[in-house]
Amino acid sequence: MPEYDYSLVDAAIIDTQSNTQRVLREVLARLGMKRAETYGSVRDAADMAAAATPDLILLDIDGEEAEALRLIRRLRNEPDTRNPYACIVATTWQPTPLLVMRVTNAGADDLLVKPVSPKQVQERLAALIESRKKFVVTADYTGPDRRKSPREGAQVPLLDAPNTLRLKATNRWAHINARQLMAEANHFVNEQKLLRISVQVAFLIEFAAIGLTARPPERMAVEHLARVPAFLDDLLRRLDDLGEPGPAESVAKSLKMMAERLRLQAESGAVAAEELERVRALARDLMQAVDAARSLEAMMGEVAAAVTGYRTRLEQMAQAKAEAAKAEAARAATVAPVANGDAAKEAVGS
């Protein structure tokens, strides 16, 4: 394993257990880290993102799971984060499959199981330095690419995110322009967010369209439509950050207003067909305004494929649930006669 110089690395340890804080800090000190701040709760570390985000964050998930996951998402996505590409390693005593999924979907780089040893930490840091996953940007996620197999449909470009841990540990920090590196990465993320949000909004509307025409409108369709305004708020903020409002801004504002009005109509039990078609048209206009270089046909093809794939997954989940319920009912029916027979024998014996 190569030798690294961790003397310039800034680390943060967020853990509700003081003993674990001490152990982790000693482990990092053994590796040569001289600057490791400790926090007893996520709330105590709330200002860390805006102040000076560390190069490495060791974050306990067990004590405050919901708050810890929100912190990861905030570090990756909020505009006030100084270093949204910091290496984030979650720590836990019990790595259940559900917890692993939640940590991964929040945007963490890795999950470390306690109790930790210096060798474990050393190996994880080496992996983050030498072979960290590239970042993917979607409408609602920014972080290490989560997929193990090639992506279907339109290929989303990946970002070789600035890795300040690697730059400092390999003594390259003094030879690069960190501010420029961060600015270029942020610009890429913002552009990708605009593209992915516009497609996501069109997807939500297209998926909801059929259910909104039902009498009364389907609950799932209304719920998906209700997600549109929040995505548009994020898109409008990013347009403002890039200083490129243009036609996309006016289309997004009109679409947000129409989507909110359509949701109110759906909740009252009546959706006007012409209103629904106007919302769908505005969604198409938004995709074109954000990405004028790409054909509308290609974008609508991506949206249609996503809707079809999503409906297929929902059907598969419903079928699996029904089969599980059927199997459980059959098992219960098998157990019941045996139990009744045992009870009858006991009655005769008495």
Side-chain angles (χ1 to χ4, degrees):
M1 183 179 297
E3 291 292 328
Y4 301 109
D5 179 6
Y6 293 113
S7 60
L8 295 179
V9 172
D10 290 292
I13 301 167
I14 307 171
D15 202 298
T16 56
Q17 298 180 345
S18 58
N19 185 56
T20 307
Q21 286 184 36
R22 179 184 56 78
V23 171
L24 289 172
R25 189 165 188 172
E26 289 176 355
V27 168
L28 296 182
R30 288 187 190 182
L31 295 176
M33 286 192 198
K34 299 178 180 179
R35 297 181 289 200
E37 294 291 330
T38 57
Y39 302 89
S41 69
V42 171
R43 177 175 293 183
D44 291 344
D47 295 332
M48 177 182 62
T53 309
D55 312 298
L56 171 68
I57 300 172
L58 299 178
L59 174 60
D60 170 52
I61 294 295
D62 298 330
E64 305 170 293
E65 181 179 327
E67 293 82 355
L69 295 176
R70 277 196 294 269
L71 177 62
I72 296 173
R73 286 189 287 268
R74 178 190 168 194
L75 290 170
R76 293 293 189 228
N77 293 284
E78 291 301 313
D80 63 347
T81 303
R82 293 280 294 277
N83 179 12
Y85 316 106
C87 293
I88 302 176
V89 179
T91 62
T92 180
W93 290 98
Q94 295 180 323
T96 64
L98 180 59
L99 181 66
V100 172
M101 181 187 71
R102 287 173 175 169
V103 169
T104 301
N105 288 340
D109 288 275
D110 206 346
L111 183 66
L112 191 60
V113 181
K114 301 173 184 178
V116 300
S117 68
K119 183 180 179 182
Q120 283 179 305
V121 175
Q122 186 177 20
E123 289 175 348
R124 297 303 175 90
L125 295 187
L128 289 172
I129 293 170
E130 298 296 336
S131 56
R132 188 188 192 190
K133 291 181 179 180
K134 291 186 177 183
F135 273 37
V136 66
V137 181
T138 69
D140 55 358
Y141 173 83
T142 303
D145 191 6
R146 300 168 291 185
R147 301 196 184 186
K148 297 180 180 179
S149 57
R151 292 175 172 269
E152 300 177 357
Q155 293 302 305
V156 179
L158 300 179
L159 169 67
D160 190 3
N163 188 341
T164 56
L165 171 65
R166 178 177 62 206
L167 293 171
K168 290 182 179 180
T170 56
N171 293 312
R172 294 168 54 198
W173 182 250
H175 306 290
I176 57 101
N177 186 333
R179 180 173 295 182
Q180 180 181 348
L181 194 67
M182 212 64 74
E184 290 173 353
N186 290 342
H187 186 78
F188 173 89
V189 169
N190 265 330
E191 286 192 330
Q192 287 301 309
K193 280 287 184 183
L194 294 177
L195 297 175
R196 303 323 308 169
I197 289 173
S198 67
V199 172
Q200 178 71 7
V201 165
F203 159 79
L204 290 171
I205 292 172
E206 289 299 319
F207 174 81
I210 295 177
L212 291 175
T213 58
R215 302 290 177 172
E218 296 176 3
R219 180 178 59 83
M220 182 179 288
V222 178
E223 290 174 349
H224 279 65
L225 180 64
R227 296 173 58 196
V228 169
F231 279 113
L232 291 174
D233 284 338
D234 190 19
L235 181 140
L236 288 166
R237 175 182 65 78
R238 292 179 183 280
L239 284 173
D240 188 56
D241 290 345
L242 288 173
E244 302 174 2
E249 180 181 26
S250 59
V251 174
K253 289 180 177 178
S254 297
L255 180 54
K256 179 185 176 184
M257 180 181 67
M258 288 291 298
E260 289 174 338
R261 188 163 67 192
L262 197 65
R263 179 182 60 80
L264 291 175
Q265 289 180 5
E267 289 177 346
S268 66
V271 174
E274 60 273 16
E275 293 278 300
L276 176 58
E277 188 51 44
R278 286 181 62 190
V279 168
R280 297 173 73 180
L282 282 172
R284 295 191 289 269
D285 291 344
L286 180 63
M287 287 193 295
Q288 285 193 298
V290 169
D291 190 3
R294 191 176 176 202
S295 72
L296 178 61
E297 182 181 3
M299 289 187 282
M300 289 306 299
E302 179 181 349
V303 170
V307 170
T308 300
Y310 185 48
R311 289 194 184 282
T312 299
R313 289 194 296 274
L314 289 176
E315 290 171 0
Q316 291 171 343
M317 290 168 60
Q319 183 178 357
K321 187 176 180 180
E323 290 176 353
K326 184 177 180 181
E328 177 61 24
R331 187 194 67 80
T334 303
V335 171
V338 174
N340 291 336
D342 291 342
K345 289 179 182 180
E346 290 179 4
V348 171
S350 63

